[in-house]
Amino acid sequence: MNFSAWLHLVVVLVQVWPCSPSTQNSSAQNTAQSFTAVRRVKRGWLWEPLFVTEEQISPNPVYIGQLKSDLDKEDGSLKYILTGEGAESFFVIDEYNGKIFVIQKLDREKKPFYTLKAQAINRSTQLPVEPESEFIIKVRDVNDNEPQFLDGPYVATIPEMSPEGTSVTQVTATDADDPSYGNSARLLYSLVQGQPYFSVEPKTGVIRMASQMDRETKDQYLVIIQAKDMVGQPGAFSATATVTINLSDVNDNPPKFQHRLYYMSVSEEAPVGTTVGKVFAEDSDIGDNAAMDYFIEGDSLGVFGIITNNETQEGIILLKKRVDYESKRRYSIEAKAVNRYIDERFLTEGPFEDRTIVKINVEDADEPPVFTSENYVMEIFEGAMSGSLVGVVTARDPDDDGSPVRYSIVHSTHLKRLFSINEHNGAIITTEPLDREITSWHNITVTATETRNPEKISEANVYVQVLDVNDNAPELPKNYETFVCENAVSGQLIQSISAVDRDDSEKGHHFNFSLAQEAINSSYFTVKDNQDNTAGIFTGKSGFRRQEQFFFYLPIVIQDNGTPPLTSTNTLTVTVCDCDTEVNTFYCRYGAFMYSLGLSTEALVALLACILIFLVFFLAIVTIRQQQRKKKSPFSEKMEEFRENVVSYDDEGGGEEDTEAFDISALRTRAVMRTHKPRKNVASEIQSLYRQSLQVGPDSAIFRQFISEKLEEANTDPSVPPYDSLQTYAFEGTGSLAGSLSSLGSNTSDMDQSYDYLADWGPHFKQLAGMYSSQRTLGD
């Protein structure tokens, strides 16, 4: 017989008793007592059903049931052993009678049941009397957990003006108690705060709209939801959650202007595009629901326009056309603001637009003169005399006072002034005749200035067209090169010609060609007019001889169809060529060139041969000289540069002045210096030349010869070292009353003169007087 046969333990689930937490322990004890009285007999074993209630605890162990084998004779011979989950920690067993006790408080939410093993052994033999068997103790639940909102805080958004009953959001609370036993985990939702705008479903926690709400009145609500367990019975646990509900905007409000009437002003000088003013329509909505567009109505002239500033939602009124104080001083327009996006659900609320009146006053300003036209086109015939009237421009002061206007032409500094204007009446006249063939159009800028306020200036463009008159005769377009062979036959075409005319013909040019009157009688050539502005030149006879006449000059008369018609005579040169039927242009030009030089072919050939011989001879000479230069020693040219003489002399010299007078060429030995010439008696020559200079003067040939000889002698004498420059003053001038003071011209020598007067000159000349006195004494 196994142990499972004699032991079967049943743990009964905790029943949720309708009692408050304060009475839970007493209720559990009463329940235990009532179950203890129940006994069942199974397979010879006597056992009592076991259970445990969570939170059940006392200072002493709490009896929860008894295990007993039917072999137990209650003599203490059997020993009961308890193992498994919670054994010895939560549960203990009396080894003698099998009673089980709980020694700690249990929490069903942490562990709802425990699996244990029971065994009965013989104390004497320590052998099991029955095999080991498992059993389960279940923990009975009590309401010991509060509900919790795990997903909070809650935030929900719903469009404003949503209908009643619209679902906003759902809140959910959880309870850790056993939902399958009693009402501990059965929750009930209620609204603590949020009436009368919202409601909540008690069982599901769904929050719904209880009425329509306007975001413009209040855009956010705080709703408090409470959840109670035990179906809200007294003593139940509860928890609350806060739900923030925002109302999103819908376009349920039309725009409204701040004012029903706006006053603005604009200067008549304001350019197009000037901001006149701003209008603003308020819209209680936000975002795209407040976006609006502005329109102008009641402005048939289209003077003003309006645009929308999307950032500020303002309407900006702009000037589309210039205004004139003198023409219209006040405007009244209507501005309209319309919502850009319309919600069809609220169309019944009325039109989503608004209107206002805008009155605009035009302010007077000192305006510049106004021309009757911005651009004037005038005409005048070319060749008109200076002072001819071209046209008249007119400008006026638009202001009420009507200031006089003065006119002038803006002349460019680099253009010739061809026109002038009367500053009072605006008449434009020419200053010289115009030539259409030079310039057919003239652009003039005319200014008009107020007399009272010179700063007010306006401009106008004047375009002057120069009309054509037939003042240019037709002419040949180019210099034709016309050739004719010597054996040409009569009636042969040798040249086609055309004509040009610088004038402009309205009907088209038509030219007539003919020979000049003096050439009509000539039978050499004829002119045939083709009547298409071209003509042909034909031969008038057969056979030409170059020896007789090399050139023919053919005068051709060309007449145009102008009024009056003009004619011109153009000379066509015909060159006779040595050819049969086909003209060789190069050969003919060559022959004409030779003829113009007066040379024959034989003479030209001889001239070219001479030139060729001369060139060959010149090249031969150049080649020979180059070869001779290559054979010459490279040291021959520099030998004399290396042969320098060192000359020593003990003259102290004159310092820098001596350096300036020194000629380095005196130290060099040249070939020309090797020829020694004996020095002449310079003193005797100077005395002789001096005497002659008194009669001949400084420009005499004698002086020039003397100076040249002294210069040559100084340059070629290698035996004389360089001295300081010697300056000789032989001529002291003519016409002096005192005569010459030099002793060179005296007939007496120094020995014949007396220097005793030097002693009378004072102490400064004492030494000089002594020297000459001593010389005289020595001479004597």
Side-chain angles (χ1 to χ4, degrees):
M1 183 178 185
N2 56 22
F3 186 74
S4 60
W6 59 264
L7 178 60
H8 183 74
L9 302 178
V10 179
V11 179
V12 182
L13 293 176
V14 176
Q15 181 180 1
V16 180
W17 295 94
C19 60
S20 62
S22 61
T23 60
Q24 280 185 350
N25 293 335
S26 61
S27 300
Q29 293 177 358
N30 294 336
T31 305
Q33 293 175 359
S34 62
F35 273 90
T36 303
V38 178
R39 291 176 181 270
R40 295 181 182 179
V41 178
K42 185 176 182 182
R43 298 180 182 177
W45 281 92
L46 182 66
W47 55 274
E48 293 180 357
L50 302 179
F51 70 91
V52 61
T53 303
E54 68 171 335
E55 303 291 337
Q56 182 176 337
I57 190 63
S58 65
N60 300 318
V62 178
Y63 171 75
I64 61 173
Q66 184 180 8
L67 298 177
K68 190 174 183 181
S69 174
D70 56 358
L71 297 179
D72 190 2
K73 297 179 181 180
E74 298 183 0
D75 56 359
S77 61
L78 295 181
K79 181 181 179 179
Y80 294 96
I81 300 174
L82 186 65
T83 61
E85 295 178 341
E88 301 300 331
S89 59
F90 288 102
F91 304 102
V92 295
I93 189 169
D94 190 336
E95 61 182 7
Y96 293 99
N97 56 22
K99 291 183 178 180
I100 301 174
F101 300 90
V102 61
I103 60 175
Q104 288 191 29
K105 182 170 62 175
L106 303 177
D107 189 353
R108 188 202 67 83
E109 285 71 39
K110 293 183 179 180
K111 192 169 181 61
F113 63 88
Y114 294 86
T115 301
L116 296 100
K117 295 179 181 180
Q119 191 176 28
I121 62 174
N122 189 295
R123 287 183 182 272
S124 299
T125 63
Q126 295 296 316
L127 295 176
V129 296
E130 296 290 349
E132 186 179 56
S133 180
E134 286 187 356
F135 67 96
I136 296 175
I137 297 178
K138 292 186 177 181
V139 182
R140 182 180 293 172
D141 184 45
V142 296
N143 189 20
D144 60 344
N145 288 281
E146 297 178 354
Q148 292 183 353
F149 290 94
L150 301 179
D151 298 331
Y154 294 90
V155 178
T157 302
I158 188 171
E160 64 171 330
M161 305 304 292
S162 296
E164 183 178 348
T166 302
S167 175
V168 178
T169 188
Q170 183 179 14
V171 295
T172 302
T174 59
D175 197 317
D177 294 325
D178 189 358
S180 63
Y181 181 77
N183 295 325
S184 297
R186 295 179 62 186
L187 303 179
L188 189 68
Y189 298 95
S190 61
L191 192 66
V192 178
Q193 177 179 315
Q195 300 89 351
Y197 307 109
F198 302 95
S199 63
V200 63
E201 293 182 355
K203 295 182 178 181
T204 62
V206 174
I207 302 174
R208 297 185 181 276
M209 299 284 292
S211 63
Q212 285 189 339
M213 286 174 288
D214 189 2
R215 186 202 63 82
E216 287 72 34
T217 302
K218 187 176 182 180
D219 60 353
Q220 189 178 78
Y221 293 85
L222 296 180
V223 177
I224 300 177
I225 303 297
Q226 184 184 62
K228 278 188 176 183
D229 57 11
M230 297 185 66
V231 201
Q233 295 179 7
F237 292 109
S238 65
T240 59
T242 300
V243 183
T244 301
I245 301 177
N246 297 312
L247 297 181
S248 61
D249 186 58
V250 297
N251 190 10
D252 59 341
N253 293 280
K256 295 290 183 183
F257 278 104
Q258 291 180 326
H259 306 286
R260 309 318 302 176
L261 183 62
Y262 288 85
Y263 291 97
M264 301 177 185
S265 61
V266 61
S267 173
E268 63 175 339
E269 286 186 325
V272 173
T274 300
T275 299
V276 180
K278 300 178 181 179
V279 295
F280 179 64
E282 293 180 327
D283 194 321
S284 300
D285 299 320
I286 59 175
D288 290 341
N289 295 321
M292 65 187 74
D293 294 315
Y294 292 89
F295 302 93
I296 291 293
E297 295 184 351
D299 184 13
S300 59
L301 300 177
V303 179
F304 302 97
I306 192 169
I307 60 174
T308 304
N309 187 331
N310 293 323
E311 294 183 359
T312 62
Q313 292 299 316
E314 292 177 314
I316 303 174
I317 299 177
L318 304 176
L319 187 65
K320 292 177 63 178
K321 295 181 180 180
R322 295 288 297 268
V323 293
D324 185 11
Y325 174 82
E326 288 71 28
S327 300
K328 188 175 178 65
R329 303 184 179 183
R330 187 175 293 104
Y331 293 86
S332 179
I333 59 177
E334 186 178 49
K336 180 174 70 172
V338 181
N339 271 139
R340 189 174 299 167
Y341 307 103
I342 305 297
D343 194 334
E344 296 181 356
R345 296 176 299 172
F346 304 101
L347 287 176
T348 56
E349 299 294 330
F352 285 83
E353 62 180 46
D354 196 21
R355 299 169 184 267
T356 187
I357 302 299
V358 181
K359 294 186 177 297
I360 303 174
N361 293 325
V362 180
E363 297 178 347
D364 188 22
D366 189 6
E367 300 174 90
V370 178
F371 282 95
T372 56
S373 176
E374 294 182 0
N375 300 294
Y376 292 87
V377 179
M378 302 178 182
E379 297 178 347
I380 186 173
F381 283 99
E382 65 173 329
M385 297 176 58
S386 299
S388 299
L389 178 64
V390 180
V392 179
V393 296
T394 304
R396 65 174 184 84
D397 183 9
D399 298 318
D400 290 340
D401 52 3
S403 174
V405 176
R406 289 185 177 180
Y407 302 92
S408 62
I409 293 179
V410 179
H411 292 286
S412 178
T413 56
H414 62 279
L415 294 179
K416 189 176 182 180
R417 298 185 179 185
L418 302 176
F419 304 92
S420 64
I421 190 171
N422 188 306
E423 66 174 5
H424 300 293
N425 58 21
I428 300 175
I429 60 176
T430 60
T431 58
E432 62 181 64
L434 305 178
D435 189 351
R436 189 202 66 86
E437 284 69 41
I438 297 177
T439 304
S440 59
W441 282 91
H442 296 273
N443 301 333
I444 307 172
T445 300
V446 177
T447 61
T449 307
E450 283 188 14
T451 304
R452 300 174 186 171
N453 188 359
E455 294 182 357
K456 299 299 178 178
I457 304 174
S458 58
E459 295 183 351
N461 297 319
V462 179
Y463 304 98
V464 180
Q465 182 182 13
V466 182
L467 302 179
D468 184 51
V469 296
N470 193 23
D471 57 346
N472 290 279
E475 58 187 358
L476 293 176
K478 62 180 180 178
N479 292 325
Y480 289 98
E481 286 185 321
T482 305
F483 305 97
V484 61
C485 291
E486 286 184 313
N487 59 351
V489 297
S490 178
Q492 181 178 343
L493 176 65
I494 61 172
Q495 183 70 58
S496 293
I497 61 173
S498 61
V500 294
D501 194 333
R502 298 177 61 191
D503 294 322
D504 185 14
S505 176
E506 296 181 358
K507 301 178 181 179
H509 290 293
H510 181 71
F511 304 112
N512 294 319
F513 300 87
S514 62
L515 282 174
Q517 188 67 33
E518 62 272 16
I520 293 178
N521 298 326
S522 174
S523 61
Y524 294 109
F525 302 96
T526 60
V527 175
K528 180 181 178 182
D529 193 341
N530 297 325
Q531 299 299 317
D532 59 355
N533 291 338
T534 64
I537 308 300
F538 295 86
T539 57
K541 72 168 189 170
S542 298
F544 295 87
R545 290 180 59 82
R546 299 174 63 191
Q547 290 76 9
E548 295 180 359
Q549 188 169 354
F550 203 91
F551 296 105
F552 290 91
Y553 300 99
L554 192 62
I556 299 176
V557 177
I558 307 175
Q559 182 179 8
D560 62 15
N561 60 336
T563 304
L566 296 179
T567 60
S568 66
T569 301
N570 300 264
T571 301
L572 185 67
T573 301
V574 181
T575 304
V576 180
C577 295
D578 184 11
C579 57
D580 295 333
T581 57
E582 190 171 336
V583 176
N584 188 325
T585 305
F586 174 77
Y587 181 75
C588 286
R589 289 175 180 169
Y590 165 73
F593 173 74
M594 296 303 301
Y595 180 80
S596 61
L597 294 178
L599 297 176
S600 64
T601 303
E602 293 77 6
L604 180 62
V605 172
L607 179 63
L608 292 177
C610 293
I611 294 174
L612 182 60
I613 293 172
F614 175 76
L615 290 176
V616 172
F617 180 72
F618 176 77
L619 291 175
I621 293 175
V622 172
T623 303
I624 293 172
R625 287 189 176 182
Q626 290 180 350
Q627 292 177 354
Q628 291 177 352
R629 288 180 181 177
K630 291 180 180 180
K631 293 179 180 180
K632 188 177 181 180
S633 175
F635 297 100
S636 59
E637 297 179 358
K638 298 183 179 180
M639 288 299 295
E640 300 203 7
E641 296 293 330
F642 298 142
R643 298 177 61 185
E644 295 183 352
N645 296 328
V646 179
V647 180
S648 299
Y649 58 95
D650 16 335
D651 288 358
E652 184 174 323
E656 294 181 357
E657 295 178 357
D658 182 61
T659 304
E660 294 176 358
F662 180 76
D663 186 6
I664 193 63
S665 62
L667 295 178
R668 298 188 181 275
T669 302
R670 301 181 181 272
V672 295
M673 297 180 179
R674 294 173 183 173
T675 304
H676 177 69
K677 294 182 179 181
R679 297 180 63 89
K680 299 179 180 180
N681 191 343
V682 178
S684 60
E685 289 183 359
I686 292 175
Q687 292 178 357
S688 174
L689 291 173
Y690 170 73
R691 294 186 184 94
Q692 297 177 10
S693 68
L694 297 177
Q695 290 82 25
V696 299
D699 293 333
S700 173
I702 299 176
F703 272 94
R704 289 197 296 270
Q705 180 181 1
F706 173 76
I707 293 174
S708 298
E709 289 179 358
K710 296 294 110 180
L711 180 62
E712 181 67 16
E713 184 178 322
N715 290 337
T716 59
D717 191 356
S719 61
V720 181
Y723 291 102
D724 292 345
S725 59
L726 175 63
Q727 299 180 1
T728 303
Y729 300 93
F731 181 74
E732 298 184 8
T734 58
S736 174
L737 299 177
S740 174
L741 299 178
S742 174
S743 61
L744 297 177
S746 175
N747 293 326
T748 61
S749 65
D750 291 340
M751 300 299 181
D752 299 333
Q753 296 184 15
S754 176
Y755 297 96
D756 295 338
Y757 61 89
L758 294 176
D760 299 334
W761 285 9
H764 294 290
F765 299 92
K766 181 179 180 180
Q767 186 176 359
L768 182 62
M771 292 174 60
Y772 277 86
S773 298
S774 61
Q775 289 181 358
R776 185 174 183 183
T777 304
L778 291 175
D780 295 338

